[in-house]
Amino acid sequence: MSTGLHLLLIDPQNDFCDLPGAALPVTGADADLTRVATLVDRLGARLDRIHVTLDSHQPVDIAHPVWWCNADGEAPAPFTLITVGDVESGLWRARDPQQQAHSVDYVRALATRARHALVIWPEHCLIGGWGHQLHAGCATALQAWAGRHCARSTMCSRA
């Protein structure tokens, strides 16, 4: 196990950047990730590992509007909070009746373990889509770092 310098990047994806078309833009994220790319380029030789997490979803997701409907068949708006009481009372139900028991259990588990209600998010970070991809500058810097790191690493050497 390496004991050197590690960099952790959490969800540096397009859908979280303040870029046109982003589903959940964070003010300043594009500039921040551009600075991260510069940091990786500048300090890359000192970095032993870079770890990157990705937020990844399918369109049909329990936290997306399409999963749920009210008595009129309408989906909840993004950022709606769905509580156990909302599901038990029928205010919100799974659009697919076969998923109702699972949905109740999921919302109940959130309330019990995490102590919060389910937040309905706009579709974001859909696997295979633009929003799921890494910020372009960050991706370029990470690819270059990986090439340089592998070239100098014994783990990539041929025996």
Side-chain angles (χ1 to χ4, degrees), residues 44-88:
R46 294 176 46 199
L47 296 170
D48 290 318
R49 298 277 187 270
I50 298 178
H51 310 271
V52 180
T53 68
L54 297 176
D55 193 39
S56 303
H57 299 283
Q58 298 290 342
V60 178
D61 184 292
I62 198 165
H64 288 165
V66 70
W67 188 275
W68 300 94
C69 64
N70 62 18
D72 297 326
E74 299 165 330
F79 310 110
T80 298
L81 296 179
I82 296 182
T83 66
V84 173
D86 293 339
V87 179
E88 289 175 344

Side-chain angles (χ1 to χ4, degrees), residues 137-157:
C138 209
T140 299
L142 292 172
Q143 288 173 337
W145 175 87
R148 291 187 309 269
H149 183 75
C150 193
R152 68 179 167 85
S153 173
T154 58
M155 68 182 193
C156 297
S157 298

Side-chain angles (χ1 to χ4, degrees), residues 83-157:
T83 66
V84 173
D86 293 339
V87 179
E88 289 175 344
S89 73
L91 176 62
W92 295 111
R93 59 183 162 73
R95 192 171 296 278
D96 176 356
Q98 292 181 337
Q99 295 296 326
Q100 184 63 23
H102 164 71
S103 301
V104 171
D105 290 344
Y106 183 83
V107 173
R108 196 174 284 137
L110 278 179
T112 303
R113 293 185 205 135
R115 295 187 283 283
H116 61 79
L118 173 66
V119 176
I120 299 302
W121 297 100
E123 286 187 359
H124 65 285
C125 297
L126 298 180
I127 295 169
W130 172 84
H132 189 252
Q133 295 173 11
L134 293 181
H135 175 273
C138 209
T140 299
L142 292 172
Q143 288 173 337
W145 175 87
R148 291 187 309 269
H149 183 75
C150 193
R152 68 179 167 85
S153 173
T154 58
M155 68 182 193
C156 297
S157 298

Side-chain angles (χ1 to χ4, degrees), residues 9-76:
L9 300 176
I10 300 172
D11 304 346
Q13 293 160 276
N14 288 329
D15 263 349
F16 298 125
C17 292
D18 47 343
L19 297 169
L24 291 167
V26 175
T27 301
D30 178 46
D32 288 344
L33 289 172
T34 298
R35 283 190 293 277
V36 167
T38 300
L39 177 122
V40 169
D41 288 339
R42 189 170 39 97
L43 300 179
R46 294 176 46 199
L47 296 170
D48 290 318
R49 298 277 187 270
I50 298 178
H51 310 271
V52 180
T53 68
L54 297 176
D55 193 39
S56 303
H57 299 283
Q58 298 290 342
V60 178
D61 184 292
I62 198 165
H64 288 165
V66 70
W67 188 275
W68 300 94
C69 64
N70 62 18
D72 297 326
E74 299 165 330

